[in-house]
Amino acid sequence: MDVRRDADLRPFWLAGRPATGDAELTVTNSHDGRIVGVASVPTPDQVEEAVAAAHAVSRQAAALPVHVRAEALAHVSRRLAERSEEIARLITAENGKPILWARGEVGRAVSTFRFAAEEARRFSGAVQRLDTEPAAQGRLAYVTRVPYGPVLAITPFNFPLNLVAHKVAPAIAVGASIIVKPAPATPLSSLVLGEILAETDLPEGMFSVLPVPNDRAGALVTDPRLPVVSFTGSGPVGFAIKDQVPRKHVTLELGGNAAAVVLGDADLDWAASRVALFSNYQAGQSCIAVQRVIVEDSVAEEFTGKLLSAVGALVTGDPEDDKTQVGPLVSEDAAVRVEKWVAEAVAAGARVLAGGTRDGATVAPTVLTDVPSDAKVVREEVFGPVMVIQRVGSVDEAFAAVNDSKYGLQAGVFTRSLDAAFRANRELEVGGVIIGDVPSYRADQMPYGGVKESGIGREGLHSAMDDLTYEKVMVLTGLPL
């Protein structure tokens, strides 16, 4: 199927085969309102067929030779690279993400599957001599990791390809079948991924991509044949899932209100350029987009001037234009919510230094200061192109301000001091500390995840593979060690 033609009916992927159901999901472009594509929605019976197939193939999947898994992952990586421009334009069309960032997302997905292929070949058993005590003489432990079983992957709209890749790739690498439920707003990229997976030699039933509406996801979450639920999305939904299935293995990659700390010894030009760009990339729709900018008083005036200049230089507009850096949000409703949160902050005493306006689904890059500490734009996750400048008098106050949040995903600290860097690593209550850059930095092979209300578990290929498996020990007896 040619994904470049608008309004084609796209099949979903049921146990590795294309299929159509009795309903359709229309995907529109948030910038101009045009129809991008129409995805077929599976019936309840087809969903049951997919779950039954994932369960039935689970033993075969776990026993797949490593070379079969690794080659399937490598094939996906190669095919994503070959179709990169086509898929990037599809991401831009369904998500509203500027083509600049969409190309970057495809490139990251290429790497994610390549890393998974490499990790699959390295993911091997270990041996442990047990004769460190007399009672265990002649005994040797062989330790392997075994998949819990089929995975239900629930994915968000903001990275409709790479965040799906971060669930699919490690599952295949460890030999676990997987069912993907993509975000209803952006199912098309994951359907193309299903198309590429279908080109591999993976057994029938090892993957399905089912664009069911959110109100039908509950039956998948509670199905006992899917012992693992891997969810990326909002905190309330994620923790509701965990509470609903306490006996399942649940991993949650949730939200944040990421802080960038600018200390007095920072390179202010670099810090300003990075904070400006990565508060507004993806229109702020990233859980590690810069939201809180915590600046030492000694450099606050100078840094703020540089930051406002950098924000003013950002190119906002048509996401299909190569020069655009800031595009629309995923929908006009999302933009209206962001606009309301900014207005609430201003009504409570905040000052707007830049932006604060909305045009349809697009919110202008917005910088606020003098914001009350209880405002939503400080306490909650804005998920829009809005940053709040907070001035502090010391490193102590800066790190306390970072930790004054219910979230703890990543933080960035701009400093030249190794002492400050290691102190940040000790004291900041987050899953990742990025020294010399924004909290938005993520390498796809590194452990990634949060603490507090930012989630449970870790992504990043090796970390996710560990998360999808448990240790199993075989003890060999009577060996002449």
Side-chain angles (χ1 to χ4, degrees):
M1 174 168 290
D2 184 351
V3 300
R4 291 166 293 187
R5 289 178 54 203
D6 289 351
D8 281 346
L9 179 65
R10 326 254 173 153
F12 53 87
W13 293 90
L14 195 167
R17 307 183 313 274
T20 55
D22 60 0
E24 296 175 355
L25 178 63
T26 300
V27 180
T28 58
N29 181 285
S30 63
H31 176 67
D32 56 21
R34 64 186 169 88
I35 294 175
V36 175
V38 180
S40 185
V41 176
T43 66
D45 286 345
Q46 289 171 317
V47 172
E48 164 59 28
E49 183 181 347
V51 174
H55 177 69
V57 81
S58 57
R59 288 183 181 274
Q60 181 186 357
L64 274 180
V66 169
H67 71 87
V68 174
R69 300 180 223 163
E71 181 49 40
L73 293 162
H75 173 84
V76 175
S77 178
R78 290 191 298 267
R79 292 289 286 139
L80 287 173
E82 290 167 0
R83 299 176 62 178
S84 60
E85 184 65 14
E86 167 202 348
I87 296 171
R89 292 196 175 278
L90 180 62
I91 291 171
T92 293
E94 69 172 339
N95 174 276
K97 179 177 300 193
I99 190 65
L100 164 73
W101 302 114
R103 289 177 180 137
E105 179 174 351
V106 177
R108 288 179 62 188
V110 169
S111 296
T112 297
F113 276 96
R114 187 181 74 252
F115 294 147
E118 295 166 356
E119 289 292 346
R121 296 187 188 276
R122 288 193 290 262
F123 201 67
S124 188
V127 295
Q128 179 181 3
R129 288 184 65 147
L130 302 180
D131 62 345
T132 54
E133 295 294 328
Q137 186 168 332
R139 295 183 187 267
L140 184 79
Y142 174 62
V143 185
T144 55
R145 298 199 69 91
V146 179
Y148 288 106
V151 177
L152 170 62
I154 302 176
T155 60
F157 70 80
N158 56 329
F159 288 85
L161 178 67
N162 197 41
L163 290 186
V164 177
H166 268 285
K167 299 186 186 301
V168 171
I172 292 172
V174 301
S177 53
I178 184 166
I179 290 177
V180 176
K181 194 212 89 64
T186 56
L188 305 181
S189 302
S190 59
L191 294 176
V192 172
L193 182 57
E195 178 185 335
I196 293 173
L197 285 165
E199 299 169 356
T200 70
D201 293 328
L202 294 172
E204 187 173 294
M206 193 158 178
F207 75 91
S208 292
V209 182
L210 306 178
V212 297
N214 290 338
D215 60 7
R216 289 175 54 193
L220 285 167
V221 168
T222 58
D223 196 302
R225 295 167 294 179
L226 303 173
V228 179
V229 180
S230 178
F231 172 85
T232 300
S234 73
V237 175
F239 284 112
I241 288 172
K242 186 176 185 300
D243 292 342
Q244 190 177 16
V245 287
R247 290 179 174 82
K248 289 195 176 192
H249 185 75
V250 177
T251 64
L252 303 175
E253 202 279 277
L254 306 176
N257 55 3
V261 176
V262 182
L263 298 181
D265 66 338
D267 179 334
L268 299 185
D269 290 318
W270 167 254
S273 66
R274 297 295 282 177
V275 168
L277 184 60
F278 286 95
S279 177
N280 297 290
Y281 87 126
Q282 325 280 346
Q285 296 171 122
S286 167
C287 48
I288 45 176
V290 179
Q291 182 172 324
R292 296 179 296 146
V293 187
I294 299 165
V295 191
E296 273 201 282
D297 277 328
S298 60
V299 294
E301 292 297 332
E302 183 181 0
F303 172 77
T304 300
K306 292 176 181 293
L307 177 64
L308 292 176
S309 294
V311 169
L314 294 173
V315 179
T316 302
D318 184 350
E320 295 188 355
D321 188 325
D322 288 351
K323 296 178 182 178
T324 297
Q325 296 167 295
V326 186
L329 279 77
V330 71
S331 68
E332 187 166 349
D333 286 345
V336 168
R337 178 193 56 77
V338 172
E339 181 184 39
K340 287 181 178 177
W341 284 21
V342 171
E344 288 175 10
V346 170
R351 291 189 296 125
V352 179
L353 300 183
T357 59
R358 178 181 67 84
D359 180 10
T362 299
V363 174
T366 299
V367 182
L368 304 175
T369 191
D370 299 332
V371 182
S373 61
D374 61 350
K376 287 178 183 175
V377 293
V378 175
R379 309 309 303 180
E380 302 297 332
E381 180 178 40
V382 174
F383 227 59
V386 177
M387 73 178 93
V388 174
I389 298 177
Q390 299 171 275
R391 294 178 61 156
V392 294
S394 66
V395 177
D396 289 350
E397 288 182 33
F399 290 176
V402 174
N403 290 338
D404 183 21
S405 171
K406 64 184 178 181
Y407 299 111
L409 192 45
Q410 293 198 157
V413 181
F414 289 90
T415 182
R416 293 184 173 95
S417 166
L418 272 179
D419 288 346
F422 278 92
R423 181 180 173 187
N425 190 55
R426 286 194 309 272
E427 296 183 8
L428 298 184
E429 298 165 355
V430 294
V433 179
I434 313 300
I435 302 299
D437 208 348
V438 288
S440 320
Y441 177 79
R442 177 184 180 183
D444 289 290
Q445 71 271 38
M446 78 182 194
Y448 174 77
V451 296
K452 300 195 281 191
E453 293 191 22
S454 286
I456 301 166
R458 291 293 181 269
E459 291 188 345
L461 280 308
H462 186 87
S463 299
M465 290 164 69
D466 279 347
D467 229 346
L468 298 178
T469 55
Y470 62 91
E471 284 188 323
K472 187 172 186 178
V473 180
M474 178 177 69
V475 177
L476 300 174
T477 305
L479 299 178
L481 299 174

